[in-house]
Amino acid sequence: MSAETAAAPRTWEGPNAPERLALLRRARSIAIVGASDKPSRASYFVATYLLSSSPYTVYFVNPVAKEILGRPVYASLADLPEVPDIVDVFRRHDDLPSVLQESIAVGAKTLWLQLGSWHEEVARDAEAAGLDVVMDRCVKIEHARFHGGLNLAGFNTGVISSKRQLTV
């Protein structure tokens, strides 16, 4: 991220918590762009969570890797067997405009930029193209937040209970 980008004020406002929950509830599939086969990478951690604790069909997109967690890896969004509802992006700041263009081209519904990823121009362009946008949030953390699993992610939720919280 350049110094100019880092210093720019944040003016774009993303969806609030109920809107993010609605996005996650509507989604049936998630494509992780920039997925890594390295267990130390955030995308790998998110992938293991989504595969084990969510109802989504999860696709991995990386032009170099062939297999992640025993599943095939696709070179691009266009190579996926279906249009993903959410494109979850783990790519460098300068790569985000091209990921957006690829997301628009395949007809994705939501562009989700991971923690630390913020690109106001991409957000405005995505919304202008009809996509929902979430930036600087982790899809794993958000899913866990809404489904009573933040404690599994190592977060102290402050709730002491033996019951799982149900979201209706």
Side-chain angles (χ1 to χ4, degrees), residues 73-92:
V73 178
Y74 300 88
S76 71
L77 290 172
D79 294 330
L80 297 178
E82 69 175 293
V83 174
D85 294 311
I86 295 175
V87 175
D88 188 18
V89 186
F90 290 86
R91 296 289 305 273
R92 294 180 314 120

Side-chain angles (χ1 to χ4, degrees), residues 12 23 85 87 99-105 107-112 122-134:
W12 180 85
L23 289 174
D85 294 311
V87 175
V99 174
L100 168 61
Q101 292 310 312
E102 193 177 351
S103 300
I104 292 169
K109 297 173 184 75
T110 301
L111 183 70
W112 193 299
V122 164
R124 285 191 296 275
D125 291 348
E127 288 177 331
L131 277 75
D132 292 307
V133 180
V134 178

Side-chain angles (χ1 to χ4, degrees), residues 10-16 19 118 120 123 127 133-135:
R10 290 184 172 191
T11 59
W12 180 85
E13 289 191 31
N16 61 29
E19 292 165 338
W118 190 271
E120 296 215 6
E127 288 177 331
V133 180
V134 178
M135 293 196 294

Side-chain angles (χ1 to χ4, degrees), residues 13-29:
E13 289 191 31
N16 61 29
E19 292 165 338
R20 291 191 309 275
L21 173 58
L23 289 174
L24 290 171
R25 283 191 171 163
R26 282 194 304 266
R28 297 291 170 251
S29 61

Side-chain angles (χ1 to χ4, degrees), residues 21 25 146-147 165-168:
L21 173 58
R25 283 191 171 163
F146 298 129
H147 297 89
Q165 191 176 28
L166 296 178
T167 314
V168 180

